[in-house]
């Protein structure tokens, strides 16, 4: 149960403010961003490591910003990916001129947002590498390691990468070491009870009393298999056996071992478990190198814990045992780095408020786009609770809140851009950027990109008619699919988007008026959204949720149906 | 809810084993004791600090053994004082030849057990000082500071004392600094829900949903006053105002500030609260010196938090900010101490198994004592659950388990001593030492002393008759009262003991047979025990529990009634 909060909507920001106040000796907040860099700013010539993901995992990730660990941390809302804009701002502030290695757990929303930010950083001349962590054995088989989620093993992988950067390795070197650490890190966990979001009355899930769920997630996802409660030695055996089963052939036995508590499973319990874990590992020939028992990657007040093993070689051992000095994790005598002595100023992200020129026709289209954004926002607002309920079946129930936050920000941005005489492209680009930044998560990045791409297709010069709009929608949808195909499964808003696009094109090609064609297409999208409630599990943040989602339509697809319906009413109305 | 454990009866030991396995670089277990000293052993010529109390508060206190903090930590069972024997063993192992400063929170059981251990250490030539911490504003008024409990402020007080010892202060100096730190430390907390002991189905208490209890304890004690749930800024104001109200006149504004989470109130919540706490403190002219936000003194998985402020002067600031390197708390670059370089061997407590000579009459009395101990143990065993239930009304419900553990150990020890031909004194001394060591807590030390003192009074030479036994019981009870009067209130086992003593003396003085007089006295004790269920609140571990205990007899008094009844049956039986 979460008891301490003010307004749940501002919870993440309240946490950022309190954290910055507590540890000014270690961190500074990046201006206008939900993230931190080291108090002294970036070190000139040193590769920077920036780790991120949703909030709710403290001390991951803001708690490990400091010498020998992270150069920056970027935080999304509770359990939701930070927006690409936020990732970009923190990385830019953290860059010391030698490039950035980004780290995050393997979740769709994080992969999309960090990728967009990385592309932008590279375009600005900051060499940026992406390494996502895939340590969770339970989330996919050994033949699909790349599909595994990142859980508590992120801690070891990040620590090793941070130490490698601190030691002066170049960008290729830090990326290589971090990939090696990830490839040799395996975790398996058990959940006893779910966590409760601030302001919510009920946990995200319950474990049946007297049972244990194995294969937990760190975002309130329940486990994959269930078993009767077992005493600590039996639990230790199950965790150790599962993790050791993936011991690489070339591992010589040295290992960094974490026994991580998720929040409500306390230290005494962790030590009572670590006794038999330690004994079993030693019996299996494992040499534990500076193990850690405690709360390293939490999930609010979730009850549960996990065992992580990183098989060390000489290089990884050096970096794992290297000193670190951060708010929540300190090791050895970490002194100020004397390899890099010059500090950079922390750079805020640049802002360019000049409105590009636009033709009269495109400014007219821009005003229609403005009204369309306002209408979609109103519709999202009206259905916010319903979208939250749909999402809570297998997610964390924040889809409605996230979409609402994004849509309101998009409306404001579109109003400003249209008011300043922006054309279609300017209005939609502003709306898209604001949507992506404020909504966060997977939906945020997808809607942000969709709106921005539509703007790119429509431009600031030409008038917009039916065929032109249909073509723009089609191209934007294809771009979106291309962008997301590596990270998304097959039950998402795209399942409603493509039927919409197809119907819109057919209608326009048949010469029907735009408003009519759009209206029909919107109905097709709404139908398609309902059909996502099939027997096929959908891919959300976590594979293990799949079964629970059967029979409930995907909230992303439902909101797409709502949005195109609302936009259709604008197009059918006066002045369109 | 506690989910991870093996046998609840061995939980503390399982935790000790796991902790030792996790941090061999920082700590070593004291042989045959439930406590730790630094991995390298004591430093020759350095004052040693030993902190202790019940288990369940990690990282307090084993988690802070290391350079710049504690030299030793001694742990009782969950929320129960360690026995005097355990305290003695750990202090002896930690002593570097310059004396020991003991620290614990102000609870009756701890005061009794640490005092007995200190007397023994002093008798052995180890100069020992006692400083108990009294930071909890809620537990007594500003005019009765000495009656206040120790809660999270123990952390700051111990840190300062540990740094002073590390800096080379002598015993007087470390004691002085620690007393100063305690006098300038004030805490106030809030509870949202209780914690659950391993193996128990229910928390020790519940806070009504939508409410907050102020003035929590750290042993599962509920709060003193209750209020409606309030958002973080209002809660911050309440905590800050209460703590600042006791700001000393000479405080210049510098303060060590802790926002301590009790276990299930997580880091994000603590930071969301620390934002307004920080703002309000700064507005009140407080300069926060290296504040800490996190879990420093926990109470298993209790939900709640507390604010502690230690008003610093130059000396206290130096010690508060000094480096430390321990398993759970590290600050600055703590390097090996070069002021003290020589290590002592860790010394186990000596054992002397030789049985003193005894007369034939006293050996006969010793065998009666042996049967009496066996009988009291059987009675405690029979009523174990009932005693636990009585204790759970206002305590942590472990009275039955503690008494059972003590009585079983006493029985074994008495059997050994009587079997080896021990007299009355030898048998009772062995039983008392074993009882005190294994029962722990307040009951353990009181019963341990009562049995041992009875032995001293009866000696190993003379036969035991009615008047002699009555005189021994009377003197032992008076000694016990004298010993405990500084620490105990007026609703304890003594409330049953004195009516028993009085009735026994009257009966024996009237010339009645011992067994009859004892039987009557036992009935008087049983009646008196029931009368402790009065309208006057009783003093348990925590004053705030007082109200809840009205109407329920004191479990300590009830067990006294049971025990003297059982012993009476032995005295009335054959061979007595």
């Amino acid at each position: 149960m979460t008891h301490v909060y003010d307004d749940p909507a501002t919870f993440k920001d309240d946490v950022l403010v309190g954290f910055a106040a507590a540890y000014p000796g270690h961190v500074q907040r990046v201006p206008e961003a939900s993230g931190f860099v080291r108090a002294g700013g970036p070190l000139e010539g040193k590769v920077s490591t920036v780790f991120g993901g949703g909030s709710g995992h403290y001390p991951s990730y803001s708690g490990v910003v400091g010498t020998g660990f992270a150069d920056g941390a970027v935080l999304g809302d509770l359990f939701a990916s930070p927006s690409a804009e936020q990732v970009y701002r923190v990385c830019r502030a953290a860059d010391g001129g030698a490039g950035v290695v980004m780290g995050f757990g393997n979740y769709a929303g994080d992969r999309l947002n960090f990728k967009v930010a990385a592309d932008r950083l590279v375009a600005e001349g900051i060499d940026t590498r992406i390494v996502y962590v895939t340590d969770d054995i339970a989330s996919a088989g050994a033949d699909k390691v790349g599909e595994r989620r990142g859980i508590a093993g992120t801690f070891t992988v990040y620590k090793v990468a941070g130490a490698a950067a601190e030691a002066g390795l170049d960008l290729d070197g830090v990326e290589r070491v971090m990939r090696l650490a990830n490839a040799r890190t395996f975790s398996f966990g058990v959940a006893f009870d779910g966590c409760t979001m601030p302001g919510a009355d009920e946990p995200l899930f319950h474990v049946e009393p007297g049972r244990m769920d194995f294969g937990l997630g760190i975002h309130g996802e329940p486990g994959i298999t269930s078993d009767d409660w077992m005493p600590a030695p039996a639990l230790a055996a199950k965790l150790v056996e599962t993790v050791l089963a993936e011991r690489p052939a070339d591992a010589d036995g040295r290992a960094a071992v974490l026994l991580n508590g998720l929040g409500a499973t306390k230290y005494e319990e962790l030590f009572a478990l670590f006794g038999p874990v330690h004994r079993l590992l030693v019996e299996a020939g494992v040499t534990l190198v500076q193990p850690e028992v405690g709360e390293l990657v939490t999930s609010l007040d979730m009850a549960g814990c996990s065992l992580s093993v990183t098989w060390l070689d000489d290089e990884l051992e050096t970096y794992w045992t290297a000193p670190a000095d951060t708010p929540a994790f300190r090791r050895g005598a970490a002194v100020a780095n004397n390899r890099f002595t010059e500090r950079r100023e922390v750079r805020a992200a640049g802002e360019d408020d000049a409105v590009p020129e636009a033709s009269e026709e495109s400014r007219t289209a821009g005003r229609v786009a403005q009204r369309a954004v306002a209408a979609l926002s109103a519709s999202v607002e009206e259905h916010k609770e319903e979208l939250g309920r749909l999402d809570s079946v297998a997610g964390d129930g924040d889809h409605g809140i996230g979409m609402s936050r994004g849509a309101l920000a998009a409306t404001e941005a579109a109003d400003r851009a249209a008011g300043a005489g922006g054309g279609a492209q300017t209005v939609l680009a502003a709306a898209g950027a604001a949507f992506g930044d404020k909504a966060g998560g997977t939906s945020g990045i997808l809607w942000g990109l969709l709106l921005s791409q539509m703007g790119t297709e429509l431009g600031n010069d030409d008038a917009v008619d039916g065929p032109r709009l249909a073509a723009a929608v089609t191209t934007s949808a294809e771009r979106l699919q291309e962008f997301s195909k590596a990270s998304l499964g097959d039950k998402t808003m795209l399942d409603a988007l493509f039927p919409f696009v197809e119907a819109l094109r057919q209608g326009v090609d048949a010469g029907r008026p735009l408003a009519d064609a759009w209206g029909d297409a919107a109905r097709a999208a709404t139908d398609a959204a309902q059909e996502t409630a099939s027997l096929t599990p959908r891919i959300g943040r976590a594979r293990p949720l799949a079964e629970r989602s059967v029979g409930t339509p995907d909230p992303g697809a439902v909101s797409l149906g709502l949005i195109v319906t609302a936009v259709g009413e604008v197009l059918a109305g006066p002045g369109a």
Side-chain angles (χ1 to χ4, degrees), chain A residues 59-106:
Chain A
S60 296
Y61 305 92
S62 54
V64 296
V65 173
T67 304
F69 217 130
D71 291 280
V74 54
L75 296 166
D77 276 290
L78 283 167
F79 303 156
S81 171
S83 70
E85 177 70 29
Q86 297 298 331
V87 176
Y88 163 76
R89 289 182 188 194
V90 172
C91 289
R92 195 168 182 282
D95 174 46
V100 175
V101 179
M102 294 173 162
F104 51 87
N106 182 26

Short mmCIF file of all heavy atoms in Angstrom, two decimals, chain A residues 59-106:
data_model
loop_
_atom_site.label_atom_id
_atom_site.label_comp_id
_atom_site.label_asym_id
_atom_site.label_seq_id
_atom_site.Cartn_x
_atom_site.Cartn_y
_atom_site.Cartn_z
N PRO A 59 16.67 2.11 -5.32
CA PRO A 59 17.65 3.08 -5.77
C PRO A 59 17.92 3.11 -7.27
O PRO A 59 18.69 3.95 -7.71
CB PRO A 59 18.92 2.65 -5.04
CG PRO A 59 18.76 1.21 -4.77
CD PRO A 59 17.28 1.02 -4.53
N SER A 60 17.35 2.20 -8.02
CA SER A 60 17.47 2.31 -9.48
C SER A 60 16.46 3.35 -9.94
O SER A 60 15.28 3.25 -9.58
CB SER A 60 17.17 0.97 -10.14
OG SER A 60 18.15 0.02 -9.74
N TYR A 61 16.85 4.39 -10.69
CA TYR A 61 18.20 4.51 -11.22
C TYR A 61 18.86 5.81 -10.75
O TYR A 61 20.03 5.99 -10.90
CB TYR A 61 18.17 4.41 -12.74
CG TYR A 61 17.49 3.12 -13.17
CD1 TYR A 61 16.14 3.06 -13.43
CD2 TYR A 61 18.23 1.93 -13.24
CE1 TYR A 61 15.53 1.85 -13.77
CE2 TYR A 61 17.62 0.73 -13.60
CZ TYR A 61 16.28 0.71 -13.86
OH TYR A 61 15.67 -0.48 -14.19
N SER A 62 18.05 6.72 -10.17
CA SER A 62 18.65 7.98 -9.74
C SER A 62 19.62 7.76 -8.58
O SER A 62 20.58 8.50 -8.43
CB SER A 62 17.57 8.99 -9.34
OG SER A 62 16.70 8.43 -8.39
N GLY A 63 19.37 6.73 -7.78
CA GLY A 63 20.19 6.49 -6.60
C GLY A 63 21.59 6.02 -6.91
O GLY A 63 22.41 5.90 -5.99
N VAL A 64 21.90 5.72 -8.16
CA VAL A 64 23.24 5.24 -8.49
C VAL A 64 23.99 6.21 -9.41
O VAL A 64 24.94 5.82 -10.09
CB VAL A 64 23.22 3.81 -9.11
CG1 VAL A 64 22.69 2.82 -8.09
CG2 VAL A 64 22.40 3.77 -10.39
N VAL A 65 23.58 7.46 -9.42
CA VAL A 65 24.32 8.48 -10.17
C VAL A 65 25.49 8.94 -9.30
O VAL A 65 25.29 9.39 -8.17
CB VAL A 65 23.42 9.68 -10.53
CG1 VAL A 65 24.25 10.81 -11.14
CG2 VAL A 65 22.31 9.25 -11.49
N GLY A 66 26.67 8.82 -9.81
CA GLY A 66 27.85 9.24 -9.04
C GLY A 66 29.10 8.54 -9.54
O GLY A 66 29.04 7.70 -10.45
N THR A 67 30.20 8.88 -8.91
CA THR A 67 31.51 8.35 -9.31
C THR A 67 31.49 6.83 -9.38
O THR A 67 31.06 6.16 -8.45
CB THR A 67 32.58 8.81 -8.30
OG1 THR A 67 32.56 10.23 -8.23
CG2 THR A 67 33.96 8.33 -8.72
N GLY A 68 31.93 6.29 -10.50
CA GLY A 68 32.05 4.84 -10.64
C GLY A 68 30.78 4.14 -11.05
O GLY A 68 30.76 2.92 -11.20
N PHE A 69 29.70 4.89 -11.24
CA PHE A 69 28.44 4.24 -11.61
C PHE A 69 27.81 5.05 -12.75
O PHE A 69 28.45 5.18 -13.80
CB PHE A 69 27.52 4.13 -10.38
CG PHE A 69 26.71 2.86 -10.30
CD1 PHE A 69 26.69 2.09 -9.14
CD2 PHE A 69 25.95 2.45 -11.37
CE1 PHE A 69 25.93 0.92 -9.04
CE2 PHE A 69 25.19 1.28 -11.28
CZ PHE A 69 25.18 0.52 -10.13
N ALA A 70 26.67 5.62 -12.56
CA ALA A 70 26.00 6.32 -13.67
C ALA A 70 26.43 7.78 -13.76
O ALA A 70 26.70 8.42 -12.76
CB ALA A 70 24.49 6.24 -13.49
N ASP A 71 26.45 8.29 -15.00
CA ASP A 71 26.63 9.73 -15.19
C ASP A 71 25.28 10.43 -15.19
O ASP A 71 25.20 11.61 -14.86
CB ASP A 71 27.36 10.00 -16.50
CG ASP A 71 28.80 9.52 -16.43
OD1 ASP A 71 29.62 10.24 -15.86
OD2 ASP A 71 29.07 8.40 -16.90
N GLY A 72 24.26 9.73 -15.59
CA GLY A 72 22.93 10.32 -15.62
C GLY A 72 21.87 9.25 -15.43
O GLY A 72 22.10 8.07 -15.66
N ALA A 73 20.71 9.69 -14.96
CA ALA A 73 19.55 8.80 -14.83
C ALA A 73 18.34 9.56 -15.33
O ALA A 73 18.18 10.74 -15.05
CB ALA A 73 19.34 8.38 -13.38
N VAL A 74 17.50 8.87 -16.10
CA VAL A 74 16.28 9.49 -16.61
C VAL A 74 15.10 8.64 -16.17
O VAL A 74 15.12 7.41 -16.31
CB VAL A 74 16.34 9.70 -18.14
CG1 VAL A 74 16.66 8.41 -18.87
CG2 VAL A 74 15.05 10.31 -18.67
N LEU A 75 14.08 9.30 -15.63
CA LEU A 75 12.98 8.59 -15.01
C LEU A 75 11.65 8.92 -15.67
O LEU A 75 11.30 10.09 -15.82
CB LEU A 75 12.90 8.97 -13.53
CG LEU A 75 14.11 8.54 -12.70
CD1 LEU A 75 14.11 9.24 -11.36
CD2 LEU A 75 14.11 7.03 -12.52
N GLY A 76 10.92 7.90 -16.04
CA GLY A 76 9.56 8.10 -16.51
C GLY A 76 8.60 8.12 -15.34
O GLY A 76 9.01 8.12 -14.19
N ASP A 77 7.32 8.11 -15.64
CA ASP A 77 6.35 7.98 -14.56
C ASP A 77 6.47 6.58 -13.96
O ASP A 77 7.26 5.76 -14.43
CB ASP A 77 4.93 8.25 -15.09
CG ASP A 77 4.65 9.74 -15.10
OD1 ASP A 77 4.51 10.31 -14.00
OD2 ASP A 77 4.61 10.32 -16.19
N LEU A 78 5.71 6.32 -12.91
CA LEU A 78 5.79 5.03 -12.25
C LEU A 78 5.65 3.89 -13.27
O LEU A 78 4.62 3.78 -13.94
CB LEU A 78 4.70 4.90 -11.18
CG LEU A 78 4.99 5.65 -9.87
CD1 LEU A 78 3.74 5.73 -9.02
CD2 LEU A 78 6.13 4.98 -9.11
N PHE A 79 6.68 3.10 -13.39
CA PHE A 79 6.69 1.90 -14.23
C PHE A 79 6.47 2.21 -15.71
O PHE A 79 6.17 1.30 -16.49
CB PHE A 79 5.64 0.88 -13.77
CG PHE A 79 5.79 0.47 -12.33
CD1 PHE A 79 4.71 -0.02 -11.61
CD2 PHE A 79 7.03 0.53 -11.70
CE1 PHE A 79 4.86 -0.41 -10.28
CE2 PHE A 79 7.18 0.13 -10.38
CZ PHE A 79 6.10 -0.33 -9.67
N ALA A 80 6.61 3.46 -16.13
CA ALA A 80 6.40 3.83 -17.54
C ALA A 80 7.69 4.42 -18.10
O ALA A 80 8.40 5.16 -17.42
CB ALA A 80 5.27 4.84 -17.67
N SER A 81 7.98 4.10 -19.33
CA SER A 81 9.20 4.63 -19.96
C SER A 81 9.23 6.15 -19.92
O SER A 81 8.20 6.80 -20.08
CB SER A 81 9.25 4.17 -21.42
OG SER A 81 10.31 4.85 -22.09
N PRO A 82 10.40 6.72 -19.71
CA PRO A 82 10.52 8.16 -19.92
C PRO A 82 10.32 8.46 -21.40
O PRO A 82 10.54 7.60 -22.25
CB PRO A 82 11.96 8.46 -19.48
CG PRO A 82 12.69 7.17 -19.61
CD PRO A 82 11.69 6.08 -19.39
N SER A 83 9.90 9.67 -21.70
CA SER A 83 9.70 10.04 -23.11
C SER A 83 11.05 10.21 -23.80
O SER A 83 12.08 10.43 -23.15
CB SER A 83 8.91 11.34 -23.21
OG SER A 83 9.71 12.42 -22.76
N ALA A 84 11.04 10.10 -25.10
CA ALA A 84 12.26 10.29 -25.88
C ALA A 84 12.86 11.68 -25.61
O ALA A 84 14.07 11.85 -25.53
CB ALA A 84 11.96 10.12 -27.37
N GLU A 85 11.99 12.67 -25.46
CA GLU A 85 12.44 14.03 -25.18
C GLU A 85 13.24 14.07 -23.87
O GLU A 85 14.29 14.72 -23.78
CB GLU A 85 11.21 14.95 -25.10
CG GLU A 85 11.49 16.39 -24.75
CD GLU A 85 12.21 17.14 -25.87
OE1 GLU A 85 12.01 16.78 -27.04
OE2 GLU A 85 12.98 18.07 -25.55
N GLN A 86 12.71 13.40 -22.85
CA GLN A 86 13.40 13.39 -21.55
C GLN A 86 14.73 12.65 -21.64
O GLN A 86 15.74 13.07 -21.07
CB GLN A 86 12.50 12.73 -20.49
CG GLN A 86 11.21 13.47 -20.22
CD GLN A 86 11.46 14.86 -19.66
OE1 GLN A 86 12.47 15.11 -19.00
NE2 GLN A 86 10.56 15.78 -19.96
N VAL A 87 14.72 11.53 -22.34
CA VAL A 87 15.96 10.77 -22.50
C VAL A 87 17.00 11.63 -23.20
O VAL A 87 18.17 11.72 -22.78
CB VAL A 87 15.72 9.46 -23.30
CG1 VAL A 87 17.03 8.72 -23.54
CG2 VAL A 87 14.71 8.55 -22.58
N TYR A 88 16.54 12.28 -24.26
CA TYR A 88 17.44 13.15 -25.03
C TYR A 88 18.04 14.24 -24.13
O TYR A 88 19.25 14.48 -24.14
CB TYR A 88 16.65 13.77 -26.19
CG TYR A 88 17.30 14.98 -26.80
CD1 TYR A 88 18.40 14.83 -27.65
CD2 TYR A 88 16.85 16.27 -26.51
CE1 TYR A 88 19.01 15.95 -28.21
CE2 TYR A 88 17.45 17.38 -27.05
CZ TYR A 88 18.54 17.22 -27.90
OH TYR A 88 19.15 18.32 -28.43
N ARG A 89 17.19 14.90 -23.34
CA ARG A 89 17.68 16.01 -22.51
C ARG A 89 18.72 15.55 -21.49
O ARG A 89 19.73 16.22 -21.26
CB ARG A 89 16.51 16.66 -21.77
CG ARG A 89 15.61 17.44 -22.70
CD ARG A 89 14.49 18.13 -21.95
NE ARG A 89 13.56 18.71 -22.93
CZ ARG A 89 12.63 19.59 -22.65
NH1 ARG A 89 12.47 19.99 -21.40
NH2 ARG A 89 11.83 20.06 -23.58
N VAL A 90 18.45 14.42 -20.85
CA VAL A 90 19.38 13.94 -19.82
C VAL A 90 20.70 13.50 -20.46
O VAL A 90 21.78 13.81 -19.95
CB VAL A 90 18.75 12.81 -18.98
CG1 VAL A 90 19.78 12.19 -18.04
CG2 VAL A 90 17.56 13.35 -18.19
N CYS A 91 20.62 12.81 -21.58
CA CYS A 91 21.85 12.36 -22.24
C CYS A 91 22.68 13.56 -22.72
O CYS A 91 23.91 13.56 -22.59
CB CYS A 91 21.53 11.45 -23.43
SG CYS A 91 20.91 9.84 -22.94
N ARG A 92 22.00 14.55 -23.22
CA ARG A 92 22.70 15.73 -23.70
C ARG A 92 23.41 16.42 -22.53
O ARG A 92 24.54 16.88 -22.64
CB ARG A 92 21.68 16.68 -24.35
CG ARG A 92 22.29 17.76 -25.20
CD ARG A 92 21.20 18.44 -26.03
NE ARG A 92 21.76 19.45 -26.89
CZ ARG A 92 22.13 20.67 -26.48
NH1 ARG A 92 21.97 21.00 -25.23
NH2 ARG A 92 22.65 21.53 -27.33
N ALA A 93 22.72 16.47 -21.39
CA ALA A 93 23.32 17.10 -20.21
C ALA A 93 24.47 16.27 -19.67
O ALA A 93 25.42 16.81 -19.08
CB ALA A 93 22.25 17.29 -19.12
N ALA A 94 24.41 14.96 -19.86
CA ALA A 94 25.42 14.08 -19.28
C ALA A 94 26.64 13.90 -20.17
O ALA A 94 27.69 13.45 -19.71
CB ALA A 94 24.80 12.70 -18.99
N ASP A 95 26.52 14.26 -21.42
CA ASP A 95 27.60 13.99 -22.38
C ASP A 95 28.85 14.80 -22.06
O ASP A 95 28.79 16.01 -21.85
CB ASP A 95 27.12 14.34 -23.80
CG ASP A 95 28.25 14.21 -24.80
OD1 ASP A 95 28.97 13.19 -24.75
OD2 ASP A 95 28.42 15.13 -25.64
N GLY A 96 29.97 14.11 -22.02
CA GLY A 96 31.25 14.77 -21.77
C GLY A 96 32.08 14.90 -23.03
O GLY A 96 33.27 15.19 -22.96
N GLY A 97 31.46 14.62 -24.18
CA GLY A 97 32.17 14.77 -25.43
C GLY A 97 32.73 13.47 -25.98
O GLY A 97 33.24 13.42 -27.09
N ALA A 98 32.64 12.41 -25.19
CA ALA A 98 33.18 11.12 -25.65
C ALA A 98 32.07 10.13 -25.95
O ALA A 98 32.31 8.95 -26.16
CB ALA A 98 34.11 10.54 -24.59
N GLY A 99 30.82 10.62 -25.97
CA GLY A 99 29.71 9.76 -26.31
C GLY A 99 28.98 9.22 -25.09
O GLY A 99 29.44 9.36 -23.97
N VAL A 100 27.83 8.62 -25.37
CA VAL A 100 26.94 8.15 -24.31
C VAL A 100 26.58 6.69 -24.56
O VAL A 100 26.26 6.31 -25.67
CB VAL A 100 25.64 9.00 -24.29
CG1 VAL A 100 24.65 8.45 -23.28
CG2 VAL A 100 25.96 10.47 -23.98
N VAL A 101 26.63 5.89 -23.50
CA VAL A 101 26.05 4.54 -23.55
C VAL A 101 24.77 4.57 -22.72
O VAL A 101 24.79 4.90 -21.54
CB VAL A 101 27.00 3.47 -23.01
CG1 VAL A 101 26.34 2.09 -23.05
CG2 VAL A 101 28.30 3.46 -23.81
N MET A 102 23.67 4.25 -23.38
CA MET A 102 22.37 4.21 -22.71
C MET A 102 22.08 2.79 -22.24
O MET A 102 22.33 1.84 -22.96
CB MET A 102 21.25 4.52 -23.70
CG MET A 102 21.24 5.90 -24.26
SD MET A 102 19.94 5.88 -25.55
CE MET A 102 19.68 7.63 -25.71
N GLY A 103 21.52 2.68 -21.05
CA GLY A 103 21.09 1.37 -20.57
C GLY A 103 19.66 1.42 -20.07
O GLY A 103 19.25 2.39 -19.43
N PHE A 104 18.93 0.36 -20.37
CA PHE A 104 17.55 0.24 -19.86
C PHE A 104 17.17 -1.23 -19.93
O PHE A 104 17.84 -2.04 -20.57
CB PHE A 104 16.58 1.12 -20.67
CG PHE A 104 16.66 0.92 -22.16
CD1 PHE A 104 15.91 -0.06 -22.78
CD2 PHE A 104 17.51 1.72 -22.94
CE1 PHE A 104 16.00 -0.25 -24.15
CE2 PHE A 104 17.59 1.52 -24.31
CZ PHE A 104 16.84 0.54 -24.92
N GLY A 105 16.09 -1.57 -19.23
CA GLY A 105 15.58 -2.93 -19.28
C GLY A 105 14.80 -3.13 -20.56
O GLY A 105 14.23 -2.18 -21.11
N ASN A 106 14.74 -4.35 -21.04
CA ASN A 106 14.13 -4.63 -22.34
C ASN A 106 12.60 -4.62 -22.28
O ASN A 106 11.97 -5.66 -22.11
CB ASN A 106 14.63 -6.00 -22.84
CG ASN A 106 14.09 -6.34 -24.22
OD1 ASN A 106 13.77 -5.45 -25.00
ND2 ASN A 106 13.98 -7.63 -24.49
#
